[in-house]
Amino acid sequence: MKTVVGILIGCAFMSGCALWGEPLPDPECRSLAIDSSSELLLSDDWLRGDERAKNAGSGTFSFAGQLQALRADHADFDAEALWQLVGQAEPVAAADLPFRLLALVNRTDLAEQLAPDTPAGEARLVYTLTTGAGDASAARARPFTVIFEYSLGSAGSPRDWAARFHELAALPTEARGAAAAKLVESFTAPPATAEAPHLSQIRVNDARSGTSRLYELALDGGRLARRGLRNTPRLEFASTAELSRFAHDNADAIRHGTHLVPNDWLADMAPVAAVDWLPSEAELAHAFSRGTCSGCHGDDGPAQNGFHVSEAADGSVTPSSFLIDEELPRRVGVMRARLCGVEN
């Protein structure tokens, strides 16, 4: 596998696409070096090519490793809903799992947006479906991704967690795998409690039919179950007076990405498509659409073929222009502010 430049993942790993224009509170922090490929989006060969990224043996970074960690926390863990979306039964042998790691993602920048439920932000592991066993280099990536999104709990502050990712950049490349493994284990292995790190949700993007369709799964007891996609209403709400009233009442929050669409409005499947949510409110409509899964992964992101990150034919990880042009500078600024103590 080839290495990739330091680029961030966008809305597939966000809860909405907002908060992209926040100024850096302390200009003095601009001198602090941030290596995004080692601190924010980790998708270079030192990680993806590590043995711990292999499903055989259920390595720490692997898809099999995520399933194993969830089974360790939940004796009655049931992933049938996930495999229904994949369209096959779960392989008996871990080595046969058709998924390969794309990236480990630091989302401590989401702490304020996701508070109080997730006050330190999230860490995420992203996988692509493959044509055969994911461990096999000959297996090709398919247009289908699964993201395990972990709440970092409240045991550490956003700054604490940012510092742990920042420490990886100071290590020689050959030492990063072991350090990253300890970091991943710190949010996948502990007991599932509100205070400790735990699985927030699993997000699925399936474009095998030609059009991306997005889903969200969450634990119900030990069973994964479909639930509504955050801030993505069902299409029946488009162009309605009810949605227009909500948008006007929450206009500032929508522009800053901090609004919450009522749970009983949420879609449990969202196609990537242009939706005329607020036909007479162009500026607000763009901000609202960008905060939905449909808009973020479509032209309002903009994404590439419904994805913000994917594996190219040569095995490298490729980002969307949204990530390069907007998300990378924003997240670097937030990381600097965290580490300089501007934010707790």
Side-chain angles (χ1 to χ4, degrees):
M1 298 181 189
K2 297 183 179 180
T3 60
V4 64
V5 295
I7 301 166
L8 293 183
I9 295 176
C11 299
F13 317 127
M14 297 175 66
S15 294
C17 284
L19 296 177
W20 46 78
E22 297 296 329
L24 184 64
D26 181 2
E28 297 297 323
C29 287
R30 293 187 187 278
S31 62
L32 178 65
I34 302 296
D35 179 359
S36 59
S37 66
S38 300
E39 303 178 46
L40 295 167
L41 168 66
L42 292 71
S43 60
D44 285 352
D45 191 60
W46 66 262
L47 180 78
R48 298 182 68 218
D50 190 285
E51 282 302 305
R52 284 161 286 216
K54 306 300 183 185
N55 290 313
S58 300
T60 300
F61 311 133
S62 70
F63 192 89
Q66 303 318 297
L67 297 179
Q68 178 174 275
L70 289 170
R71 290 190 173 103
D73 278 346
H74 305 275
D76 57 347
F77 178 68
D78 181 353
E80 177 61 26
L82 173 59
W83 290 101
Q84 286 177 358
L85 293 175
V86 176
Q88 68 174 74
E90 180 179 350
V92 174
D96 294 331
L97 284 166
F99 283 96
R100 181 158 58 230
L101 177 68
L102 287 178
L104 165 62
V105 189
N106 166 8
R107 295 314 312 271
T108 56
D109 63 289
L110 293 177
E112 290 77 14
Q113 187 179 356
L114 298 180
D117 295 333
T118 307
E122 291 183 340
R124 301 175 177 182
L125 288 143
V126 190
Y127 302 88
T128 183
L129 182 68
T130 52
T131 55
D135 288 355
S137 58
R140 309 315 304 161
R142 303 188 68 186
F144 185 111
T145 57
V146 174
I147 312 167
F148 290 78
E149 302 184 353
Y150 288 93
S151 165
L152 296 177
S154 59
S157 71
R159 185 184 182 189
D160 294 335
W161 284 100
R164 297 184 71 181
F165 277 95
H166 185 61
E167 288 168 1
L168 294 174
L171 298 173
T173 302
E174 62 272 17
R176 288 179 184 168
K182 290 183 179 179
L183 179 56
V184 170
E185 288 165 0
S186 72
F187 61 76
T188 61
T193 68
E195 294 75 24
H198 59 278
L199 183 71
S200 291
Q201 60 270 325
I202 292 174
R203 299 198 194 193
V204 175
N205 187 351
D206 181 5
R208 290 173 296 180
S209 68
T211 298
S212 284
R213 289 175 169 79
L214 298 126
Y215 306 87
E216 186 168 312
L217 303 169
L219 285 168
D220 180 5
R223 181 178 67 92
L224 288 175
R226 293 259 296 271
R227 74 174 181 190
L229 291 152
R230 190 177 192 272
N231 282 349
T232 305
R234 298 188 299 277
L235 294 179
E236 67 198 58
F237 284 94
S239 303
T240 62
E242 193 171 13
L243 182 59
S244 181
R245 283 193 298 271
F246 173 85
H248 284 124
D249 291 345
N250 296 275
D252 287 343
I254 289 170
R255 292 186 182 99
H256 289 88
T258 56
H259 67 293
L260 284 175
V261 170
N263 283 338
D264 59 356
W265 292 12
L266 300 180
D268 70 353
M269 186 282 289
V272 172
V275 180
D276 204 4
W277 295 108
L278 302 163
S280 62
E281 307 278 350
E283 180 265 338
L284 188 59
H286 177 72
F288 182 84
S289 179
R290 217 181 204 195
T292 68
C293 290
S294 298
C296 181
H297 287 267
D299 292 341
D300 286 318
Q304 51 182 7
N305 303 316
F307 294 87
H308 283 292
V309 65
S310 56
E311 184 180 288
D314 66 358
S316 63
V317 174
T318 59
S320 67
S321 60
F322 170 77
L323 307 184
I324 299 171
D325 297 338
E326 299 190 43
E327 273 295 281
L328 177 57
R330 185 191 71 81
R331 295 189 200 178
V332 166
V334 174
M335 188 74 166
R336 284 192 180 120
R338 294 254 192 269
L339 296 171
C340 289
V342 176
E343 300 173 39
N344 292 324

